Amino acid sequence: QNFEAMLRFVRAIEARKYDFEDRLDYIYADWLSYQKYETCGNAFGDWNKWQNDPEALSYRRFLSACYWKTDAEMLAEMAAAIGRTPEAEELRRSAAHARSHLRATWIGEDGLLLPFLRDLQTACLFALKCGVVEGSAREETKRMLRANIGSHDGCLQTGFLGTSVIMDALTENGMVDLAYDLLLNRKCPSWLYSVDQGATTVWERWNSYTKDKGFGPVGMNSFNH
């Protein structure tokens, strides 16, 4: 019963390329990641540092375009399932347009993500998940991602968006071993680190509470996220 509203939404995204902001204002993006461009004050990022940074804004637009592609693909499946064949075709074209936009804007002549994105786990994950790197560039992206995780003591560095796709992206790209290493890791940040600190729910922060320091900043520290 909400199909028409969803269709209008994706059409609006198609018209604007998911680009509604001329500056960051307060775009959450990969919220609470441990990577550069994070805008949360307190424990992780520096809002003032990234507020008008062109690379930070471009990174957020990259993530938004990945969701444009994903949204169009999902709604195309829904349209086909309910017999809306013309709309399904339209949405498949929108997803293809999103992929072309991603490749034209954030993929360099070498087929890889632009240099400022290559050291971001989340950017590499979405490049793999959304199929915007191909052939040898895809293999190199996998290598860079594996090396990145290794350089962070075997820990993920992702926030809300990257964490949502990391296991699928790894397993779909032949890195099941790495997925299990992340799943069973007990260092911070990791899922089991939170469990070891007493978590029985999914917390907003990776370290919303620690046994040695207690509760994190109360202004933004959900314990049932």
Side-chain angles (χ1 to χ4, degrees):
Q1 63 185 12
N2 292 316
F3 180 82
E4 294 298 334
M6 293 189 291
L7 182 61
R8 288 196 300 272
F9 174 78
V10 174
R11 284 172 172 168
I13 298 310
E14 167 79 22
R16 295 289 298 272
K17 296 186 177 65
Y18 232 138
D19 184 8
F20 293 99
E21 301 290 344
D22 294 324
R23 60 194 294 277
L24 290 186
D25 290 333
Y26 209 96
I27 303 172
Y28 289 92
D30 194 27
W31 183 238
L32 293 180
S33 76
Y34 278 39
Q35 304 174 114
K36 64 182 181 181
Y37 307 138
E38 174 53 54
T39 59
C40 176
N42 302 324
F44 301 120
D46 182 344
W47 171 245
N48 293 320
K49 181 178 181 180
W50 304 119
Q51 187 173 10
N52 296 298
D53 184 272
E55 289 184 355
L57 180 57
S58 183
Y59 174 47
R60 279 151 176 72
R61 287 173 171 161
F62 167 77
L63 294 175
S64 295
C66 289
Y67 272 94
W68 165 21
K69 180 177 184 290
T70 301
D71 290 347
E73 287 173 336
M74 290 193 298
L75 194 55
E77 291 184 20
M78 297 178 202
I82 61 175
R84 299 286 292 266
T85 303
E87 289 85 352
E89 289 298 322
E90 174 192 348
L91 290 158
R92 292 187 191 105
R93 290 193 298 271
S94 183
H97 183 194
R99 184 179 183 278
S100 296
H101 175 61
L102 283 159
R103 286 189 56 80
T105 309
W106 291 284
I107 300 297
E109 293 182 1
D110 57 4
L112 293 168
L113 286 167
L114 294 178
F116 75 93
L117 295 174
R118 295 179 190 178
D119 62 342
L120 293 167
Q121 290 182 13
T122 294
C124 290
L125 289 165
F126 273 96
L128 293 170
K129 183 68 177 168
C130 291
V132 296
V133 286
E134 302 172 329
S136 60
R138 189 175 191 87
E139 295 306 309
E140 176 63 13
T141 301
K142 290 161 59 175
R143 187 202 66 76
M144 290 191 301
L145 180 59
R146 187 181 285 274
N148 184 303
I149 293 172
S151 72
H152 289 98
D153 201 20
C155 290
L156 45 71
Q157 299 292 295
T158 51
F160 277 67
L161 302 189
T163 303
S164 73
V165 301
I166 190 167
M167 288 305 187
D168 284 346
L170 291 175
T171 55
E172 290 167 2
N173 285 279
M175 294 181 280
V176 176
D177 62 317
L178 189 53
Y180 271 104
D181 287 345
L182 291 173
L183 179 64
L184 300 176
N185 197 326
R186 308 193 89 94
K187 298 185 288 290
C188 184
S190 70
W191 291 283
L192 291 184
Y193 176 81
S194 300
V195 172
D196 287 343
Q197 305 311 306
T200 58
T201 55
V202 177
W203 295 345
E204 185 168 12
R205 297 180 183 273
W206 288 112
N207 58 349
S208 286
Y209 174 86
T210 61
K211 292 179 178 178
D212 60 332
K213 295 181 180 179
F215 293 98
V218 297
M220 186 280 296
N221 197 27
S222 167
F223 282 85
N224 190 8
H225 225 65

mmCIF file of all heavy atoms in Angstrom, residues 114-138:
data_model
loop_
_atom_site.group_PDB
_atom_site.id
_atom_site.type_symbol
_atom_site.label_atom_id
_atom_site.label_comp_id
_atom_site.label_asym_id
_atom_site.label_seq_id
_atom_site.Cartn_x
_atom_site.Cartn_y
_atom_site.Cartn_z
ATOM 1 N N LEU A 114 38.577 6.620 -5.996
ATOM 2 C CA LEU A 114 39.495 7.747 -5.939
ATOM 3 C C LEU A 114 40.366 7.648 -4.686
ATOM 4 O O LEU A 114 39.928 7.105 -3.657
ATOM 5 C CB LEU A 114 38.710 9.052 -5.945
ATOM 6 C CG LEU A 114 37.931 9.342 -7.238
ATOM 7 C CD1 LEU A 114 37.144 10.646 -7.098
ATOM 8 C CD2 LEU A 114 38.839 9.388 -8.451
ATOM 9 N N PRO A 115 41.606 8.134 -4.738
ATOM 10 C CA PRO A 115 42.556 7.906 -3.639
ATOM 11 C C PRO A 115 42.051 8.274 -2.260
ATOM 12 O O PRO A 115 42.353 7.577 -1.277
ATOM 13 C CB PRO A 115 43.758 8.766 -4.051
ATOM 14 C CG PRO A 115 43.715 8.746 -5.549
ATOM 15 C CD PRO A 115 42.248 8.793 -5.892
ATOM 16 N N PHE A 116 41.270 9.361 -2.119
ATOM 17 C CA PHE A 116 40.859 9.775 -0.775
ATOM 18 C C PHE A 116 39.861 8.816 -0.140
ATOM 19 O O PHE A 116 39.601 8.891 1.057
ATOM 20 C CB PHE A 116 40.302 11.205 -0.794
ATOM 21 C CG PHE A 116 38.911 11.354 -1.365
ATOM 22 C CD1 PHE A 116 37.799 11.329 -0.545
ATOM 23 C CD2 PHE A 116 38.726 11.534 -2.733
ATOM 24 C CE1 PHE A 116 36.521 11.487 -1.059
ATOM 25 C CE2 PHE A 116 37.456 11.690 -3.259
ATOM 26 C CZ PHE A 116 36.346 11.666 -2.422
ATOM 27 N N LEU A 117 39.314 7.874 -0.921
ATOM 28 C CA LEU A 117 38.367 6.901 -0.392
ATOM 29 C C LEU A 117 38.993 5.542 -0.090
ATOM 30 O O LEU A 117 38.382 4.712 0.583
ATOM 31 C CB LEU A 117 37.224 6.687 -1.386
ATOM 32 C CG LEU A 117 36.311 7.878 -1.670
ATOM 33 C CD1 LEU A 117 35.333 7.531 -2.783
ATOM 34 C CD2 LEU A 117 35.556 8.295 -0.415
ATOM 35 N N ARG A 118 40.183 5.314 -0.564
ATOM 36 C CA ARG A 118 40.734 3.955 -0.541
ATOM 37 C C ARG A 118 41.094 3.449 0.849
ATOM 38 O O ARG A 118 41.194 2.236 1.059
ATOM 39 C CB ARG A 118 41.969 3.883 -1.454
ATOM 40 C CG ARG A 118 41.633 4.101 -2.916
ATOM 41 C CD ARG A 118 42.867 4.062 -3.795
ATOM 42 N NE ARG A 118 42.548 4.508 -5.151
ATOM 43 C CZ ARG A 118 43.441 4.615 -6.127
ATOM 44 N NH1 ARG A 118 44.714 4.311 -5.886
ATOM 45 N NH2 ARG A 118 43.071 5.038 -7.324
ATOM 46 N N ASP A 119 41.336 4.364 1.798
ATOM 47 C CA ASP A 119 41.681 3.927 3.152
ATOM 48 C C ASP A 119 40.466 3.892 4.069
ATOM 49 O O ASP A 119 40.609 3.818 5.289
ATOM 50 C CB ASP A 119 42.764 4.823 3.750
ATOM 51 C CG ASP A 119 42.327 6.271 3.887
ATOM 52 O OD1 ASP A 119 41.337 6.665 3.234
ATOM 53 O OD2 ASP A 119 42.976 7.025 4.645
ATOM 54 N N LEU A 120 39.276 3.917 3.480
ATOM 55 C CA LEU A 120 38.034 3.834 4.251
ATOM 56 C C LEU A 120 37.419 2.447 4.071
ATOM 57 O O LEU A 120 37.062 2.060 2.955
ATOM 58 C CB LEU A 120 37.039 4.896 3.772
ATOM 59 C CG LEU A 120 37.430 6.350 4.040
ATOM 60 C CD1 LEU A 120 36.525 7.285 3.248
ATOM 61 C CD2 LEU A 120 37.343 6.660 5.524
ATOM 62 N N GLN A 121 37.311 1.704 5.150
ATOM 63 C CA GLN A 121 36.691 0.383 5.056
ATOM 64 C C GLN A 121 35.286 0.472 4.457
ATOM 65 O O GLN A 121 34.912 -0.323 3.591
ATOM 66 C CB GLN A 121 36.627 -0.271 6.435
ATOM 67 C CG GLN A 121 37.967 -0.704 6.987
ATOM 68 C CD GLN A 121 37.845 -1.385 8.338
ATOM 69 O OE1 GLN A 121 36.754 -1.757 8.782
ATOM 70 N NE2 GLN A 121 38.973 -1.556 9.019
ATOM 71 N N THR A 122 34.513 1.433 4.915
ATOM 72 C CA THR A 122 33.126 1.540 4.462
ATOM 73 C C THR A 122 33.049 1.834 2.969
ATOM 74 O O THR A 122 32.216 1.250 2.256
ATOM 75 C CB THR A 122 32.392 2.617 5.266
ATOM 76 O OG1 THR A 122 32.293 2.168 6.630
ATOM 77 C CG2 THR A 122 30.988 2.861 4.740
ATOM 78 N N ALA A 123 33.894 2.708 2.456
ATOM 79 C CA ALA A 123 33.880 3.008 1.024
ATOM 80 C C ALA A 123 34.222 1.771 0.212
ATOM 81 O O ALA A 123 33.565 1.476 -0.806
ATOM 82 C CB ALA A 123 34.852 4.141 0.716
ATOM 83 N N CYS A 124 35.225 1.021 0.636
ATOM 84 C CA CYS A 124 35.596 -0.206 -0.079
ATOM 85 C C CYS A 124 34.474 -1.231 -0.023
ATOM 86 O O CYS A 124 34.183 -1.908 -1.019
ATOM 87 C CB CYS A 124 36.872 -0.787 0.519
ATOM 88 S SG CYS A 124 38.362 0.190 0.194
ATOM 89 N N LEU A 125 33.832 -1.351 1.113
ATOM 90 C CA LEU A 125 32.727 -2.307 1.255
ATOM 91 C C LEU A 125 31.583 -1.975 0.309
ATOM 92 O O LEU A 125 31.035 -2.859 -0.363
ATOM 93 C CB LEU A 125 32.232 -2.316 2.701
ATOM 94 C CG LEU A 125 33.180 -2.948 3.726
ATOM 95 C CD1 LEU A 125 32.755 -2.581 5.130
ATOM 96 C CD2 LEU A 125 33.225 -4.464 3.551
ATOM 97 N N PHE A 126 31.202 -0.709 0.240
ATOM 98 C CA PHE A 126 30.104 -0.331 -0.638
ATOM 99 C C PHE A 126 30.506 -0.439 -2.109
ATOM 100 O O PHE A 126 29.669 -0.758 -2.956
ATOM 101 C CB PHE A 126 29.593 1.070 -0.300
ATOM 102 C CG PHE A 126 28.555 1.075 0.772
ATOM 103 C CD1 PHE A 126 28.901 1.312 2.088
ATOM 104 C CD2 PHE A 126 27.233 0.812 0.480
ATOM 105 C CE1 PHE A 126 27.943 1.295 3.102
ATOM 106 C CE2 PHE A 126 26.258 0.791 1.472
ATOM 107 C CZ PHE A 126 26.608 1.033 2.785
ATOM 108 N N ALA A 127 31.760 -0.171 -2.426
ATOM 109 C CA ALA A 127 32.216 -0.347 -3.804
ATOM 110 C C ALA A 127 32.074 -1.798 -4.237
ATOM 111 O O ALA A 127 31.683 -2.091 -5.380
ATOM 112 C CB ALA A 127 33.667 0.119 -3.936
ATOM 113 N N LEU A 128 32.387 -2.720 -3.325
ATOM 114 C CA LEU A 128 32.229 -4.142 -3.622
ATOM 115 C C LEU A 128 30.757 -4.534 -3.652
ATOM 116 O O LEU A 128 30.292 -5.205 -4.579
ATOM 117 C CB LEU A 128 32.971 -4.980 -2.578
ATOM 118 C CG LEU A 128 34.494 -4.874 -2.581
ATOM 119 C CD1 LEU A 128 35.066 -5.550 -1.346
ATOM 120 C CD2 LEU A 128 35.078 -5.506 -3.844
ATOM 121 N N LYS A 129 30.013 -4.112 -2.640
ATOM 122 C CA LYS A 129 28.613 -4.511 -2.512
ATOM 123 C C LYS A 129 27.773 -3.989 -3.671
ATOM 124 O O LYS A 129 26.859 -4.679 -4.144
ATOM 125 C CB LYS A 129 28.066 -3.986 -1.182
ATOM 126 C CG LYS A 129 26.634 -4.400 -0.875
ATOM 127 C CD LYS A 129 26.524 -5.888 -0.613
ATOM 128 C CE LYS A 129 25.108 -6.285 -0.230
ATOM 129 N NZ LYS A 129 24.925 -7.752 -0.262
ATOM 130 N N CYS A 130 28.066 -2.786 -4.144
ATOM 131 C CA CYS A 130 27.275 -2.176 -5.215
ATOM 132 C C CYS A 130 27.836 -2.460 -6.602
ATOM 133 O O CYS A 130 27.297 -1.961 -7.594
ATOM 134 C CB CYS A 130 27.181 -0.672 -4.991
ATOM 135 S SG CYS A 130 26.179 -0.228 -3.560
ATOM 136 N N GLY A 131 28.908 -3.241 -6.682
ATOM 137 C CA GLY A 131 29.423 -3.643 -7.979
ATOM 138 C C GLY A 131 29.987 -2.519 -8.815
ATOM 139 O O GLY A 131 29.869 -2.537 -10.044
ATOM 140 N N VAL A 132 30.629 -1.538 -8.188
ATOM 141 C CA VAL A 132 31.163 -0.409 -8.949
ATOM 142 C C VAL A 132 32.654 -0.551 -9.239
ATOM 143 O O VAL A 132 33.228 0.297 -9.920
ATOM 144 C CB VAL A 132 30.871 0.939 -8.257
ATOM 145 C CG1 VAL A 132 29.388 1.189 -8.203
ATOM 146 C CG2 VAL A 132 31.480 1.001 -6.872
ATOM 147 N N VAL A 133 33.301 -1.594 -8.725
ATOM 148 C CA VAL A 133 34.666 -1.928 -9.123
ATOM 149 C C VAL A 133 34.627 -3.286 -9.810
ATOM 150 O O VAL A 133 33.887 -4.178 -9.409
ATOM 151 C CB VAL A 133 35.636 -1.939 -7.919
ATOM 152 C CG1 VAL A 133 35.940 -0.526 -7.471
ATOM 153 C CG2 VAL A 133 35.076 -2.744 -6.753
ATOM 154 N N GLU A 134 35.435 -3.441 -10.841
ATOM 155 C CA GLU A 134 35.345 -4.618 -11.689
ATOM 156 C C GLU A 134 36.722 -5.236 -11.909
ATOM 157 O O GLU A 134 37.738 -4.549 -11.824
ATOM 158 C CB GLU A 134 34.748 -4.239 -13.053
ATOM 159 C CG GLU A 134 33.374 -3.601 -12.989
ATOM 160 C CD GLU A 134 32.924 -3.067 -14.337
ATOM 161 O OE1 GLU A 134 33.808 -2.646 -15.136
ATOM 162 O OE2 GLU A 134 31.710 -3.075 -14.607
ATOM 163 N N GLY A 135 36.736 -6.531 -12.226
ATOM 164 C CA GLY A 135 37.957 -7.206 -12.652
ATOM 165 C C GLY A 135 39.098 -7.066 -11.677
ATOM 166 O O GLY A 135 38.954 -7.288 -10.474
ATOM 167 N N SER A 136 40.262 -6.668 -12.191
ATOM 168 C CA SER A 136 41.457 -6.557 -11.358
ATOM 169 C C SER A 136 41.289 -5.476 -10.293
ATOM 170 O O SER A 136 41.850 -5.579 -9.197
ATOM 171 C CB SER A 136 42.680 -6.248 -12.219
ATOM 172 O OG SER A 136 42.519 -5.026 -12.925
ATOM 173 N N ALA A 137 40.504 -4.440 -10.598
ATOM 174 C CA ALA A 137 40.257 -3.391 -9.601
ATOM 175 C C ALA A 137 39.448 -3.939 -8.436
ATOM 176 O O ALA A 137 39.635 -3.522 -7.288
ATOM 177 C CB ALA A 137 39.534 -2.210 -10.245
ATOM 178 N N ARG A 138 38.550 -4.854 -8.727
ATOM 179 C CA ARG A 138 37.787 -5.493 -7.643
ATOM 180 C C ARG A 138 38.729 -6.306 -6.748
ATOM 181 O O ARG A 138 38.635 -6.230 -5.515
ATOM 182 C CB ARG A 138 36.700 -6.391 -8.232
ATOM 183 C CG ARG A 138 35.716 -6.938 -7.218
ATOM 184 C CD ARG A 138 34.602 -7.722 -7.895
ATOM 185 N NE ARG A 138 33.535 -8.026 -6.963
ATOM 186 C CZ ARG A 138 32.512 -7.228 -6.704
ATOM 187 N NH1 ARG A 138 32.420 -6.058 -7.308
ATOM 188 N NH2 ARG A 138 31.580 -7.587 -5.834
#
